[in-house]
Amino acid sequence: MSIKTPTIAIRLLGFSAKEEETFSAVLAVARETGYSYTCLRTGCVQDPDMYIVNASNIKAIATLSDLNPGDAMPVLLIGKTDIDLPYQVMPKPIRWRNIFGILDELINKRELLLHTLAAHTINLTVHERRAHKRIDFDLTDPQVYQKMRDTPMAKGGILVVDKDTQFREYVAAIMDHYGITVTLAADERSSLMLDRNNQHALTLINTSTPDVDPYHLCDGLKKQNHGLKTSVIFLIDQSFDYKLGLAERVRCDGFLVKPLSRRVLLSTIRKYLHLFK
């Protein structure tokens, strides 16, 4: 798989499917100047560069509070909210002609901050947090948090399911710094056999691998690692039909869209393996 630098990735929170389609279509328009933008699809585990949030959706506001983004993670609120939040607001109805100017300004401020932080040798892999007051409610069932705390993480490193060695070697070169083993499997049978012996903490399945049903393999890996915290992520092409309902049934953790940049790959691995150095 080839590697490339992504455009500005936006995570939408609290919008209907139709509204998300409108945002995606508008922001995908080619521009002669300014930044390029893309909206992350539901199920994509890539970290966003910014959020656009429906201010009238209480669950989205609660999610935003839990994320607690800082200045290095811009937020654009669409519509008014009764809660005083320190983010840029764009009123409804949306004036689509103006949205690029607002987004460009937010990203310009972000880039300036990141360059300033870099000049002071601050680790940029952890988002700078604001000191603002967080919303005093959480819509998540406490049992969900308890289950996450009680489940031990598998310790077997990373399994790459792919037809050739190129991507595995690329991941292995990155993980060498962390002392994490990266194993390659070319089919479902060898994937399950290797995982049975190693109990991998993270499996990356290239969905274009011949004779591999990623959903079936994911289901097998999850069942095989019952009682352990293990993550499975699909590496998909833009044309791949990611079936959200089926993915949820087999407990797939989500997907990344190929080609991958080093930044996206490393931030994802760090997130799922809890690596911070």
Side-chain angles (χ1 to χ4, degrees), residues 3-258:
I3 312 299
K4 78 171 187 177
T5 302
T7 55
I8 302 301
I10 296 174
R11 177 78 68 195
L12 300 172
L13 297 179
F15 296 98
S16 67
K18 185 176 180 179
E19 289 172 324
E20 290 187 359
E21 288 179 6
T22 301
F23 271 105
S24 296
V26 171
L27 297 179
V29 173
R31 306 172 67 201
E32 294 183 0
T33 60
Y35 298 97
S36 297
Y37 296 94
T38 184
C39 295
L40 298 176
R41 293 156 50 188
T42 302
C44 182
V45 297
Q46 176 181 335
D47 285 334
D49 298 303
M50 69 176 300
Y51 292 94
I52 297 181
V53 184
N54 183 356
S56 63
N57 186 305
I58 190 170
K59 186 175 181 180
I61 296 299
T63 299
L64 181 65
S65 176
D66 185 57
L67 291 168
N68 194 27
D71 289 324
M73 180 63 66
V75 174
L76 176 61
L77 296 178
I78 303 296
K80 296 181 180 179
T81 176
D82 295 332
I83 304 171
D84 184 22
L85 297 173
Y87 305 122
Q88 177 84 32
V89 176
M90 186 174 192
K92 291 182 177 180
I94 299 173
R95 295 185 178 181
W96 294 106
R97 291 183 178 180
N98 299 336
I99 196 167
F100 282 109
I102 294 174
L103 296 179
D104 287 352
E105 182 179 357
L106 288 170
I107 295 301
N108 280 335
K109 290 179 179 178
R110 172 183 182 269
E111 293 301 307
L112 178 61
L113 175 62
L114 292 179
H115 283 305
T116 302
L117 293 175
H120 290 82
T121 64
I122 294 178
N123 188 347
L124 301 181
T125 61
V126 179
H127 301 311
E128 290 297 301
R129 299 293 186 179
R130 292 179 187 268
H132 66 267
K133 184 178 179 180
R134 298 180 65 180
I135 301 171
D136 60 356
F137 60 84
D138 189 343
L139 302 181
T140 305
D141 187 336
Q143 293 183 2
V144 174
Y145 293 125
Q146 187 62 46
K147 184 177 180 181
M148 292 171 62
R149 287 192 291 267
D150 293 343
T151 305
M153 176 175 284
K155 301 295 184 181
I158 299 173
L159 173 64
V160 172
V161 182
D162 204 345
K163 61 185 175 182
D164 57 47
T165 63
Q166 182 180 4
F167 183 65
R168 179 264 162 196
E169 291 171 355
Y170 178 71
V171 177
I174 296 175
M175 289 297 99
D176 183 62
H177 171 71
Y178 299 92
I180 292 176
T181 301
V182 181
T183 307
L184 178 70
D187 53 49
E188 291 189 38
R189 185 172 178 273
S190 60
S191 297
L192 290 168
M193 182 185 66
L194 287 167
D195 185 68
R196 189 178 299 113
N197 294 331
N198 295 284
Q199 296 181 322
H200 298 94
L202 174 63
T203 298
L204 304 173
I205 303 176
N206 183 354
T207 57
S208 64
T209 305
D211 302 319
V212 169
D213 180 337
Y215 300 99
H216 183 265
L217 177 55
C218 178
D219 189 45
L221 291 168
K222 289 288 186 172
K223 289 177 179 177
Q224 188 165 271
N225 287 286
H226 178 71
L228 292 175
K229 188 181 297 182
T230 181
S231 302
V232 178
I233 295 173
F234 293 175
L235 308 179
I236 72 173
D237 296 314
Q238 287 285 359
S239 60
F240 182 83
D241 181 17
Y242 184 77
K243 298 179 175 63
L244 185 60
L246 179 55
E248 290 175 346
R249 286 198 295 275
V250 300
R251 293 173 292 163
C252 177
D253 294 270
F255 66 86
L256 293 171
V257 179
K258 303 177 291 186

